[in-house]
Amino acid sequence: MMHRMTTLGLDERLERVLAYLFFWVSGILLFWFEKNRNVRWHAAQSMITFGALSLLMFGVNMLQAMLSWIPLLHILTDFGLGLLLRILWWTWIILWGWLMVMAWSKPDYRLPFISRWVQYIV
């Protein structure tokens, strides 16, 4: 199997994995500098996936911090918001590993739901 080189001079397979290595940050960098369509797809998928998860985690953290000032509400919501944060964190970790493995083995791997948004960007 012949591996194609990319605009940046690296193997396409490696760049697809690098798109996920530093989450949305590496996705943005590769999306800006790379012209290879497969790499750009994975970079955009990384930006949307980990960007959305980052915003969700930030929002839940901020909500939890704001509610901690209200005594009764804090008691009622702390467990649920903490559980939601843990679910988001594990989703992040699992997706990170999964997407790197899939980027290495399948150049055209698309996440369900996210791929609809990616197609408008790439």
Side-chain angles (χ1 to χ4, degrees):
M1 179 176 173
M2 186 173 162
H3 297 280
R4 292 182 290 189
M5 296 303 277
T6 59
T7 307
L8 299 176
L10 298 172
D11 180 55
E12 178 188 318
R13 182 185 256 186
L14 176 61
E15 276 193 30
R16 290 191 318 253
V17 173
L18 289 176
Y20 299 105
L21 187 62
F22 297 111
F23 315 107
W24 56 267
V25 176
S26 56
I28 288 172
L29 292 173
L30 282 170
F31 190 78
W32 277 346
F33 297 114
E34 183 55 60
K35 302 294 183 239
N36 180 292
R37 187 161 172 76
N38 281 336
V39 173
R40 285 177 59 86
W41 180 279
H42 285 279
Q45 190 165 256
S46 176
M47 289 186 311
I48 291 172
T49 302
F50 294 111
L53 281 170
S54 294
L55 290 174
L56 278 170
M57 290 172 72
F58 178 76
V60 171
N61 259 325
M62 292 305 296
L63 182 61
Q64 192 173 26
M66 285 188 284
L67 292 176
S68 71
W69 290 86
I70 305 170
L72 184 58
L73 225 47
H74 169 66
I75 293 168
L76 295 173
T77 60
D78 196 43
F79 174 76
L81 292 174
L83 180 62
L84 180 57
L85 276 173
R86 283 175 186 80
I87 290 169
L88 289 171
W89 172 252
W90 281 107
T91 301
W92 177 296
I93 296 298
I94 291 166
L95 273 174
W96 183 60
W98 174 258
L99 286 170
M100 285 198 295
V101 167
M102 294 311 285
W104 182 262
S105 61
K106 295 179 85 175
D108 59 345
Y109 180 73
R110 311 289 189 247
L111 274 175
F113 307 112
I114 302 292
S115 62
R116 290 187 209 155
W117 295 328
V118 174
Q119 72 186 3
Y120 295 114
I121 297 173
V122 176

